[in-house]
Amino acid sequence: MDWQISNYGKRFIDIYEELPVSLGPDTTGFRTVFEWNGELGIKEGWTGVLRGRQDFVIRAYGTSTDYDRLRDTLDEIIGTFTLIPPDATQAASDDIFVLLSEEPQTLDPALHTGRGTGPLNALFGSLVRHDSGMNVIPDIARDWSVSADGKVYTFNLRYDAYFHNGDWVTTEDVVYSWERATDPETGSPTAGVYLGDIVGVREKLAGEADEISGIEALDLFTLRVTLTKPRQTFLQKLTHPVASVVDRSNVEAGDLAERPNGTGPFKFVAWGRGQGIVLGRSRSYHLERPKLRGVVYRFNVDDPLSVYPSEQIDVVSVPLEQIDRAHDPRDDLFADHVSVPTFCTHYLAFDTTVPPFDHVRVRQAFAKALDLDKIISVVMKETVDRAYTLVPPGIPGHNEAMTAGPFIPEVARSLLWGVTDRLADDSPIPTAVDNHTMVWMWGEYLGIDVQAFTGPSAEQAGVWRDTWCPDYLDAENYLETLLHSDGRHNRFGYSNPEIDALLEEAAVSPDPMLRAETYKQIESIARDDWVVVPLWHERRHELVHQYVIGYRPASTGVHFFEDIYFEQ
């Protein structure tokens, strides 16, 4: 407390009290009363309590006048606080799971972007959801049927699904949620991607229609959805937060973004800006209730590994600079270290419209001049898996036959013969690659001047390193997104009519085997064009306390809490 209080700096004035105090039964602490900011006269009383390596602080503060006037009342209230010890005779299914997260800008699922991390998947539900194996399973819908032509889905809703405030969930809520998500005034960045297969969605997003013509509530618990064409990934897309069911009254009250009323396994409790979000178990949840009493997402922890031993955080990621400790059997971190592959692919990308990368042999030379095995071993410290394809292992359509030949620098340099006119300019070739070893290898093995740029200058670079993490586990989400001429993340100026045709064929094919083979064929064609070069597949390295049972690192960024409990 002395260290924390000293951070008040020049505003600090004086300490009035430092003394041990008795609180509730079997609870003692230490209190410091001090005053700071002479202009306003702010007085604070901090009461600290220790339990093992955990520390708790009860903080009371106000103007000096108010604090002194209410001092007896404050002391009486604080004197009732009791530190309840864990009961070693009971399974700790009531405990709170604490993990780190980036602070979201909003809790409105229609405005969510990026990975499916954070509290949204715990707060909200949709017609369907993913299980821990990333299979699509029922959520608010108890089941569904699909027409023979694959274009009409009929969902039957559960009769026991409720919002956290106790209101019943019906098809009217689903229709309202999707109408709102696709309303241009909502400004959803993802509605067109994940709901755009439904008839009328694109017209509404364009302001050409007032309603989605392809959704119809047949009754309170039956919903019919019509697609523009068969889409094998339609149900996968409905697991994205933008398809979540929201409470109309919550929206109209203006509370959705900061105090949401969802249907998920956990309900909203509190959001301390810059500190964390607290969720509590929903007792009305329609599926199996979590064993945890709550989940806390903490933000802005400067040094997580220094906090982790005190058990104030249950799970932390291991930074690259500390991975050697996690791999060392003599280190305390070794026993808690868990590593799992993720479905994120890091890749090298070229702008095919920018010289010299508008020539396929230059792109191929840059790709073959990288000794990736050495980069992964020395620079990445074996924390990632070598990638030969955009679609990772474990996803249908992964082309296991694709490999890379041996690293031979002379072969990489020979690819530039005959195209040196594109490199004649003495000015350095700009890149936006943030890996200095890669930049060094290009200069060393290709014999050309390559420089890495950041900021506005990097926007002119014709080569960069990027990452794609899927929103759903299907090869379509990688290849159509990145390689289709109209792909929403095709930043390469790349257009291949053959690939476009194959992608559109695979999207509607009802044959899983045929789809997988088509995606393998697409990867082979794309490799010959050397536009996107897979580098490595990301792995997740975490420390998990031994008392945490049932936790699985999130290979897709989505956490599943239903099987987690604490063993005392």
Side-chain angles (χ1 to χ4, degrees):
M1 290 200 305
D2 284 345
W3 181 81
Q4 290 283 357
I5 293 170
S6 68
N7 285 340
Y8 283 78
K10 296 180 179 178
R11 298 173 299 178
F12 176 71
I13 296 178
D14 201 4
I15 291 179
Y16 291 99
E17 297 177 19
E18 288 184 303
L19 72 165
V21 292
S22 295
L23 304 178
D26 301 317
T27 303
T28 59
F30 189 87
R31 179 171 296 152
T32 299
V33 178
F34 62 97
E35 188 177 45
W36 60 278
N37 197 331
E39 296 179 2
L40 295 177
I42 304 298
K43 185 172 284 189
E44 302 201 21
W46 289 19
T47 304
V49 179
L50 289 177
R51 177 173 67 190
R53 290 176 296 179
Q54 292 180 301
D55 56 275
F56 306 85
V57 174
I58 307 163
R59 179 185 176 202
Y61 62 95
T63 64
S64 298
T65 302
D66 286 343
Y67 188 92
D68 291 339
R69 178 172 57 85
L70 298 171
R71 175 63 187 272
D72 292 342
T73 303
L74 288 171
D75 289 350
E76 183 178 354
I77 293 173
I78 294 172
T80 65
F81 278 65
T82 301
L83 186 61
I84 302 176
D87 186 347
T89 66
Q90 296 183 7
S93 60
D94 286 14
D95 264 329
I96 309 297
F97 187 71
V98 182
L99 70 164
L100 301 181
S101 174
E102 293 184 3
E103 185 167 18
Q105 294 182 346
T106 176
L107 294 180
D108 184 342
L111 301 180
H112 172 75
T113 58
R115 302 190 192 185
T117 55
L120 285 182
N121 288 283
L123 285 166
F124 293 96
S126 183
L127 294 177
V128 296
R129 62 187 290 263
H130 280 134
D131 64 10
S132 56
M134 296 308 293
N135 303 300
V136 175
I137 61 173
D139 186 357
I140 294 172
R142 70 177 188 273
D143 56 38
W144 56 86
S145 60
V146 186
S147 63
D149 64 1
K151 293 170 60 176
V152 180
Y153 286 70
T154 303
F155 295 92
N156 299 304
L157 272 61
R158 300 174 63 99
Y159 300 127
D160 60 349
Y162 299 91
F163 288 105
H164 295 148
N165 66 352
D167 289 346
W168 220 352
V169 178
T170 69
T171 52
E172 294 179 0
D173 298 302
V174 182
V175 172
Y176 168 77
S177 300
W178 292 1
E179 293 280 11
R180 173 184 177 270
T182 56
D183 188 331
E185 292 188 4
T186 300
S188 172
T190 55
V193 177
Y194 299 99
L195 298 175
D197 297 326
I198 302 172
V199 171
V201 163
R202 299 202 178 278
E203 290 78 5
K204 183 172 181 184
L205 285 168
E208 300 169 358
D210 295 329
E211 296 180 345
I212 303 173
S213 55
I215 55 176
E216 181 181 2
L218 302 182
D219 56 44
L220 287 178
F221 298 98
T222 310
L223 181 73
R224 183 163 62 200
V225 181
T226 304
L227 308 185
T228 57
K229 58 184 177 180
R231 194 75 178 192
Q232 299 306 311
T233 54
F234 174 61
L235 292 177
Q236 290 267 16
K237 292 180 180 180
L238 291 188
T239 64
H240 191 273
V242 73
S244 298
V245 179
V246 300
D247 174 21
R248 183 171 193 153
S249 61
N250 189 220
V251 174
E252 293 176 346
D255 293 336
L256 177 65
E258 297 190 354
R259 299 186 59 84
N261 178 37
T263 65
F266 291 91
K267 61 183 179 180
F268 177 84
V269 175
W271 184 352
R273 291 287 182 175
Q275 300 177 23
I277 289 178
V278 181
L279 309 182
R281 180 174 57 201
S282 172
R283 298 189 177 276
S284 61
Y285 187 50
H286 49 276
L287 301 176
E288 181 180 356
R289 286 198 304 160
K291 301 174 180 64
L292 296 167
R293 185 163 56 113
V295 175
V296 174
Y297 294 86
R298 288 188 60 180
F299 314 136
N300 302 323
V301 178
D302 293 332
D303 186 4
L305 284 187
S306 68
V307 180
Y308 175 77
S310 68
E311 301 180 0
Q312 298 178 50
I313 301 176
D314 298 311
V315 175
V316 299
S317 295
V318 185
L320 181 63
E321 58 270 18
Q322 296 288 344
I323 197 65
D324 290 337
R325 292 184 58 194
H327 287 158
D328 186 351
R330 299 166 299 178
D331 196 282
D332 292 340
L333 303 184
F334 178 80
D336 292 351
H337 177 221
V338 178
S339 175
V340 299
T342 75
F343 295 100
C344 295
T345 301
H346 294 247
Y347 59 89
L348 192 68
F350 297 97
D351 186 338
T352 61
T353 67
V354 174
F357 302 111
D358 55 348
H359 198 291
V360 65
R361 285 175 57 185
V362 176
R363 301 195 295 267
Q364 187 178 6
F366 267 68
K368 286 187 170 292
L370 297 177
D371 187 351
L372 284 176
D373 288 334
K374 182 169 289 186
I375 291 174
I376 290 173
S377 174
V378 178
V379 180
M380 304 303 294
K381 300 183 178 181
E382 302 287 352
T383 58
V384 296
D385 297 325
R386 175 73 184 271
Y388 305 101
T389 57
L390 287 170
V391 179
I395 295 181
H398 166 68
N399 193 339
E400 64 281 351
M402 289 181 64
T403 58
F407 170 67
I408 305 176
E410 294 77 12
V411 172
R413 184 174 297 195
S414 69
L415 289 165
L416 297 180
W417 297 347
V419 293
T420 53
D421 58 310
R422 296 173 180 274
L423 308 171
D425 192 340
D426 292 335
S427 60
I429 297 176
T431 77
V433 174
D434 56 358
N435 188 302
H436 298 296
T437 304
M438 291 184 180
V439 175
W440 176 85
M441 286 180 175
W442 287 326
E444 180 72 12
Y445 300 138
L446 295 180
I448 56 180
D449 188 2
V450 179
Q451 292 188 13
F453 290 89
T454 58
S457 299
E459 297 178 3
Q460 308 302 319
V463 57
W464 65 94
R465 188 170 69 87
D466 215 332
T467 306
W468 177 249
C469 296
D471 300 302
Y472 51 92
L473 295 187
D474 192 278
E476 171 193 278
N477 194 231
Y478 296 83
L479 302 182
E480 184 170 305
T481 300
L482 294 171
L483 300 179
H484 194 283
S485 297
D486 297 325
R488 59 192 174 96
H489 285 278
N490 182 345
R491 300 167 47 204
F492 327 119
Y494 178 65
S495 179
N496 187 321
E498 183 181 7
I499 284 181
D500 289 350
L502 289 171
L503 285 169
E504 290 160 15
E505 174 187 321
V508 300
S509 173
D511 185 337
M513 296 293 292
L514 179 59
R515 291 184 76 238
E517 291 304 315
T518 302
Y519 287 126
K520 291 180 183 180
Q521 182 183 356
I522 291 168
E523 283 245 45
S524 296
I525 297 171
R527 182 179 64 174
D528 292 340
D529 287 337
W530 297 95
V531 176
V532 179
V533 180
L535 300 174
W536 53 77
H537 300 302
E538 189 176 302
R539 293 188 68 89
R540 192 173 298 279
H541 295 267
E542 294 182 340
L543 301 178
V544 185
H545 283 296
Q546 299 293 305
Y547 57 77
V548 179
I549 308 300
Y551 173 80
R552 293 177 296 275
S555 59
T556 62
V558 179
H559 288 100
F560 298 90
F561 300 111
E562 55 263 39
D563 296 328
I564 300 176
Y565 65 94
F566 289 174
E567 183 176 74
Q568 295 295 323

